[in-house]
Amino acid sequence: MSEAKKLHVALFPWLAFGHIIPFFELSTPLINLVSLPLPTVEHLPRNAEATTDIPSHKTPYLKLAFDGLQGPLLQFLQTSTPDWIIYDFAPYWLPSILANLGISGVFYSMYGAWTLSFFGSSSSAMINGEDPRTGPEDFTVPPEWIPFPSKIAFRLHEAKQAFRNHFEVNDSGFSDVFRLGSVMGGCDVIAIRNCNELESNFSRLVGELHSKPVLPTGLLPPADFDGSRDQDDVWLTIKECLDKQNKGSVVYIAFGSESELSQPELHELALGLELSGLPFFWALRKRDNSVKLPDGFEERVKGRGIVWTSWVPQLRIMGHESVGGFLTHCGYASIIEALYFELPLIMLPISLDQGLIARIFGEKKVGIEVTKDEDGSFRREWVAESLRFVMVEKEGKPYRDGAKEMKKLIADKDVHDRYVDHFIEFMQNHRVA
């Protein structure tokens, strides 16, 4: 690329690792980090700079601090004059700043096109509150504007949680849905971590609902993964444990750095793992020390089950030959990583769009959801049944085969590189002169 055509692009992700990491993956290694001072906000712990630093009920205060970056970001944009800025769902105030500066903006969605479609149009449903759906029950069926067959909808308990946590105004002064609608309504382009080979109907629908160009950036799968490199002590210890298990026999369990299980949920999940009889490796990131495993659990599963309570090298674990399945909260990034390693999914969605993600990948026959009661609770027996079905039973073979088939798409570097190239080409040809 010649100097005359070289793009200058700024990135402004939301302060959560599930958002920051894909922004890095899209830009690396062509990135320079710029420090913006996060203001002090009442009720936000000192030195809290990401959602992983705080319990979920304090997230609105982090959004309030994030909103305090308007001034520093404006100063940066005025002095650095990028051609484009790629930003996340939270800065509802940014599109008006960009319009005044003559800088083009891309909303980069970590949510799938199915989720964006489900929320409706930015101008009416999301910003002005004109959504014809007025209660949680209305969100348990596909919305009327989806013109093709779809089963994508919330369970009632998921809809109630979404209303409470994301549709209603929170302590930041705005609802998450208002923030999302504002950035989608005010951007020039919507980019989605997606590819048409995975789904194209929902991506087209997003463009129609928001009257904007929609560009998939590919799935950003793990790049040139080599599990033999960087043999640090943590990995060597974990590897030694995994090496003792049979090929494809181990269930890997991880719920990301932010999802939180209640004490009853943790209890039933642990006893479900025990009841399944399967070997497992559980990366358990507990923020609250009052949430405890069942008495005697670790002793009873000794030799076949490991609970690891600090950071783990997830890709190395997924890539180990003894690991044969993934019990997940349905974070989109984690699912992409698991399918890259041919791991079928046992899905236990916890928050916002994770239920919709579970419906999508359930339809694609790469995993199943753990059964839940109407209130969202689940039982140990249902956990054990789901694990055994996907991991060992004959009836689960189509899901194991489906994960292997999906790997062909997710690991196709050329496919995903072409999406990034097209995205860059679009920015080259449509930037403000």
Side-chain angles (χ1 to χ4, degrees), residues 206-233:
V206 170
E208 293 168 7
L209 287 170
H210 300 278
S211 301
K212 300 284 170 69
V214 173
L215 297 177
T217 63
L219 295 174
L220 304 179
D224 301 323
F225 176 77
D226 181 359
S228 66
R229 292 184 297 189
D230 301 325
Q231 301 285 345
D232 58 73
D233 290 342

Side-chain angles (χ1 to χ4, degrees), residues 30 66-67 124 151 153 166 221 227 259 310-311 346 359 361 373 400:
L30 308 172
F66 187 79
D67 291 341
S124 58
K151 296 179 181 178
H166 304 287
S259 295
S310 58
W311 177 87
I346 305 94
R359 311 293 112 80
F361 286 95
D373 275 323
R400 298 191 288 273

Side-chain angles (χ1 to χ4, degrees), residues 254-275:
F255 290 84
S257 59
E258 295 157 35
S259 295
E260 297 169 335
L261 291 170
S262 66
Q263 180 63 68
E265 289 171 333
L266 190 77
H267 190 88
E268 289 300 304
L269 178 56
L271 295 179
L273 290 169
E274 181 180 351
L275 187 61

Side-chain angles (χ1 to χ4, degrees), residues 290-429:
S290 68
V291 179
K292 299 185 182 299
L293 292 165
D295 290 341
F297 168 73
E298 290 184 84
E299 185 62 31
R300 293 194 300 273
V301 299
K302 192 173 183 177
R304 71 171 175 92
I306 295 172
V307 180
W308 195 279
T309 57
S310 58
W311 177 87
V312 298
Q314 178 158 293
L315 293 181
R316 292 194 186 94
I317 293 171
M318 287 181 167
H320 193 280
E321 67 172 9
S322 73
V323 176
F326 182 39
L327 174 54
T328 173
H329 65 308
C330 297
Y332 193 20
S334 292
I335 283 184
I336 291 170
E337 291 173 353
L339 293 172
Y340 177 89
F341 292 106
E342 303 182 0
L343 302 182
L345 310 170
I346 305 94
M347 298 181 285
L348 194 65
I350 294 176
S351 62
L352 187 55
D353 66 326
Q354 293 165 3
L356 303 182
I357 293 172
R359 311 293 112 80
I360 281 285
F361 286 95
E363 283 188 358
K364 294 184 180 299
K365 294 290 190 292
V366 295
I368 66 168
E369 288 187 61
V370 175
T371 302
K372 290 186 176 182
D373 275 323
E374 288 187 4
D375 64 356
S377 63
F378 56 88
R379 305 176 192 173
R380 66 197 71 172
E381 294 86 359
W382 299 341
V383 173
E385 289 166 5
S386 299
L387 288 167
R388 294 197 60 80
F389 179 87
V390 169
M391 292 291 294
V392 298
E393 291 178 6
K394 181 180 178 181
E395 292 78 7
K397 187 175 185 298
Y399 296 90
R400 298 191 288 273
D401 292 343
K404 292 177 182 177
E405 189 65 26
M406 185 69 77
K407 189 251 173 74
K408 296 177 183 177
L409 167 62
I410 292 179
D412 192 329
K413 187 175 185 294
D414 291 340
V415 165
H416 303 294
D417 284 350
R418 281 197 296 272
Y419 280 105
V420 175
D421 290 343
H422 181 253
F423 179 49
I424 294 171
E425 182 181 341
F426 182 94
M427 290 193 292
Q428 284 280 7
N429 294 332

Side-chain angles (χ1 to χ4, degrees), residues 60 63-64 67 70 90 92-93 165-179 182:
K63 293 188 174 102
L64 194 59
D67 291 341
Q70 291 182 56
Y92 67 92
W93 37 267
N165 295 339
H166 304 287
F167 286 77
E168 296 178 353
V169 174
N170 56 51
D171 287 336
S172 73
F174 301 91
S175 72
D176 290 346
V177 170
F178 174 82
R179 290 177 182 273
S182 298

Side-chain angles (χ1 to χ4, degrees), residues 101-120:
L101 295 177
I103 297 172
S104 300
V106 178
F107 164 57
Y108 187 28
S109 178
M110 300 301 102
Y111 306 113
W114 48 84
T115 300
L116 298 180
S117 299
F118 195 78
F119 289 147

